Amino acid sequence: MSSVLVESTLSDDERRTKLYQGDLFVYAPRPATREFVEFSRGLIREAFGSLDPETAQYHMPVEEYAALLAELKPRFIHHPTFKELLPAILAEHGADPAKTYFDVPRLRTSTSDDYLTSGIAYAFHPHRDTWYSAPFCQLNWWMPIFDIVPENGLAFHPRYFSQGVKNGSRDYDYDEWNAKSRADAAKHIKSDTRKQPKPEEEVEIFPQTRVVAPSGGMLIFSAAQLHSSVPNDSGRTRFSMDFRTVHVDDVVNHIGAPNVDSECTGTTMRDYLRGTDLTRIPEDICLSYDTAPPREDAVLVFSQASSA
């Protein structure tokens, strides 16, 4: 059972403990998130020209659409403006930029009515980010760029936070994915043949939790949350961004959510940048995350997190 905390006044330490226990946090738009949205909309509208980005799919061949995203998304990820805005977003949400490390923001798109659901616009099946070599102290920050509705957002499956799902993470290695598969995303238009961790047993999609925040509103959740892309039948493409963070104290002490079913290798730990000076986490610490942690009793992990 997860709780959704809206405009919580908990400290960052208290919030992380709750997140590691499966709760979700939602915040209204703030100055830095509004600035992020406006700048993002400018990049997106520039790419689509005279077309409305949310309905452009109805006026473009799917191959042309995929090619446009293949150019837009890397430009978004690597734009220097965002490395200035993300620390400001962290600070205005109560996180300490000196102890919080973030990765690059990613632009996500979810087209309507199965127009493009693979490759560069992959529609995610139920999954945990920890199946993809994310550490169990990782937190995901997710924000709509244009307003969303329940029919084109994210779905959470909170009953599985403490219940394992048989999955293919045992065959996933982050370094191998970066070397062989990530760059090929734009080539997968009709289907996606890249091997990714997926459930290997039936997952009960309902009941589920859908959080609908306005553009510029922030949703924060644990990388261990089982979540999926809502099948979009809204008639409009969803544009959102997400980035991930880790707190250095939790990294060093291996504090985080429980591992109920992840068996992947490699780690995303080398991707994070410190909010103050963009330095990376020391390599000796990263090495300790290259193999998946053993599965642990959720009560034990929560107790450890609560003492942080």
Side-chain angles (χ1 to χ4, degrees):
M1 182 69 180
S2 297
S3 298
V4 179
L5 288 78
V6 179
E7 286 291 282
S8 171
T9 58
L10 292 177
S11 70
D12 185 52
D13 288 344
E14 295 169 321
R15 179 174 61 201
R16 295 199 316 277
T17 296
K18 292 284 189 182
L19 287 161
Y20 298 153
Q21 295 173 348
D23 288 342
L24 310 174
F25 284 73
V26 184
Y27 296 91
R30 284 164 162 67
T33 60
R34 290 192 180 98
E35 185 177 354
F36 193 106
V37 163
E38 288 307 311
F39 192 86
S40 300
R41 288 180 177 180
L43 290 179
I44 294 167
R45 286 171 173 151
E46 179 183 3
F48 281 94
S50 62
L51 297 176
D52 179 348
E54 294 183 272
T55 57
Q57 67 172 86
Y58 300 107
H59 306 285
M60 299 175 65
V62 67
E63 292 82 5
E64 182 180 334
Y65 193 96
L68 185 152
L69 292 183
E71 181 179 342
L72 170 62
K73 290 191 173 185
R75 181 154 34 103
F76 182 99
I77 287 172
H78 299 295
H79 203 288
T81 296
F82 294 137
K83 288 183 179 178
E84 300 173 5
L85 289 176
L86 290 189
I89 289 174
L90 294 175
E92 69 183 5
H93 286 83
D96 181 356
K99 289 194 169 187
T100 306
Y101 289 67
F102 65 89
D103 69 356
V104 293
R106 291 170 172 82
L107 179 64
R108 309 292 187 181
T109 50
S110 173
T111 60
S112 188
D113 302 303
D114 294 323
Y115 170 77
L116 178 60
T117 59
S118 60
I120 198 73
Y122 191 75
F124 275 96
H125 48 270
H127 70 285
R128 310 181 203 274
D129 281 20
T130 54
W131 292 354
Y132 292 78
S133 304
F136 287 83
C137 58
Q138 177 182 290
L139 302 179
N140 294 2
W141 300 59
W142 190 92
M143 182 174 70
I145 300 300
F146 299 95
D147 286 342
I148 62 171
V149 293
E151 293 75 24
N152 67 359
L154 292 184
F156 293 89
H157 313 286
R159 63 164 290 188
Y160 290 101
F161 189 79
S162 57
Q163 177 180 327
V165 175
K166 185 179 180 182
N167 67 86
S169 63
R170 75 188 76 84
D171 299 320
Y172 184 87
D173 181 86
Y174 185 65
D175 293 333
E176 182 179 359
W177 171 264
N178 279 336
K180 298 180 180 179
S181 299
R182 185 185 293 277
D184 291 337
K187 301 176 183 177
H188 297 262
I189 296 175
K190 300 298 183 182
S191 62
D192 202 318
T193 59
R194 297 174 299 170
K195 190 171 184 179
Q196 303 191 48
K198 296 181 180 180
E200 296 178 342
E201 63 177 295
E202 184 177 356
V203 172
E204 294 184 11
I205 299 300
F206 297 98
Q208 61 181 227
T209 300
R210 300 183 185 184
V211 179
V212 180
S215 59
M218 186 65 71
L219 166 63
I220 310 176
F221 58 97
S222 167
Q225 281 281 3
L226 193 74
H227 61 288
S228 60
S229 300
V230 172
N232 188 350
D233 59 5
S234 69
R236 303 186 75 83
T237 296
R238 182 250 292 164
F239 288 84
S240 60
M241 84 88 180
D242 60 74
F243 66 99
R244 294 80 180 269
T245 63
V246 294
H247 189 283
V248 68
D249 291 348
D250 296 347
V251 170
V252 171
N253 294 301
H254 285 260
I255 293 172
N259 178 12
V260 295
D261 58 16
S262 297
E263 300 177 284
C264 49
T265 54
T267 181
T268 61
M269 194 63 75
R270 297 175 180 86
D271 295 345
Y272 306 109
L273 307 170
R274 185 159 59 183
T276 51
D277 57 10
L278 305 184
T279 57
R280 298 186 185 272
I281 294 172
E283 178 62 15
D284 61 324
I285 297 176
C286 294
L287 288 171
S288 68
Y289 282 85
D290 273 330
T291 57
R295 297 185 187 184
E296 298 182 70
D297 188 319
V299 175
L300 174 62
V301 177
F302 290 163
S303 176
Q304 182 185 22
S306 298
S307 66

